[in-house]
Amino acid sequence: MPPVIKVVRAEAFYVPPPPQPATAWAGTPAAELVYLYMEARTQRRYVRPEGPSGDTVYARVNQNRWVADCYCGSAQVVSPTDPRYGCIECGWGWTTLLFPEDVAAVEAQMLLEPRPALRNWWHELDPLNPVQPEPDPEPDPEEGP
C-alpha cells in the first residue's frame, strides 16, 4: 500500500536548509516561515509586514498544498494554524485568510484522490472559485406560490 501523502501546510513546506537542524525554526508562526525560508535561500533580508492590510482572502488547496493568492499574482503556502499571510513579492501587509470551518474534513476529502497533483479545493464562497454555484432561478410571477 502506498504511503499517505497529507495536504501540505506551511510548517511542512518551509523548513530550515542544511546544516540547520529541522527544529531551528520551531516556535515561528506559520505565516512567518516563508520569510525565513526565502532569506535562507536568497541570502537577503525580507521586510515583514508592520501590520494588517485590512484585506481577507480565501485559502485554497492547489496541487495538495494550502495556498493563498496575492493581488500581485504571487502565491505562497499557508496554514490554518496561522490564518494570515504577508506577500514577500510586493510587500502587502498581513492579510487575513479564510479557511473552511472544518479543515480536517477538507483534508480528508483530498486524500480520496490518490494523485496529490490532482488535489484541488476552493471554498464555495470564494469569488475566484472557477466552479461557481448555479444561481437560484427567478420565480415565474405568473405561477404564484
Side-chain angles (χ1 to χ4, degrees):
M1 183 166 172
V4 175
I5 300 173
K6 297 194 271 185
V7 177
V8 177
R9 297 178 175 193
E11 300 91 335
F13 190 83
Y14 301 119
V15 295
Q20 294 184 40
T23 58
W25 298 345
T28 302
E32 297 176 28
L33 289 171
V34 64
Y35 294 93
L36 296 174
Y37 180 87
M38 290 301 294
E39 287 173 349
R41 278 151 182 78
T42 64
Q43 297 298 301
R44 59 175 268 211
R45 303 275 301 154
Y46 283 83
V47 177
R48 275 81 167 155
E50 291 184 17
S53 68
D55 293 329
T56 58
V57 297
Y58 287 92
R60 63 187 175 92
V61 176
N62 173 258
Q63 296 184 343
N64 205 48
R65 303 162 298 181
W66 281 107
V67 299
D69 299 298
C70 183
Y71 302 109
C72 74
S74 182
Q76 56 198 47
V77 179
V78 295
S79 175
T81 64
D82 187 358
R84 63 192 174 116
Y85 84 100
C87 185
I88 60 165
E89 294 293 326
C90 72
W92 195 244
W94 292 120
T95 298
T96 301
L97 297 174
L98 301 173
F99 282 88
E101 285 185 36
D102 192 348
V103 171
V106 170
E107 291 179 345
Q109 175 190 348
M110 293 294 98
L111 294 179
L112 298 176
E113 169 55 62
R115 298 161 294 184
L118 298 181
R119 293 179 185 163
N120 298 291
W121 177 89
W122 295 76
H123 195 287
E124 64 185 16
L125 299 178
D126 187 343
L128 300 177
N129 184 342
V131 181
Q132 291 295 321
E134 292 292 323
D136 291 332
E138 292 293 322
D140 188 350
E142 293 183 17
E143 284 187 16

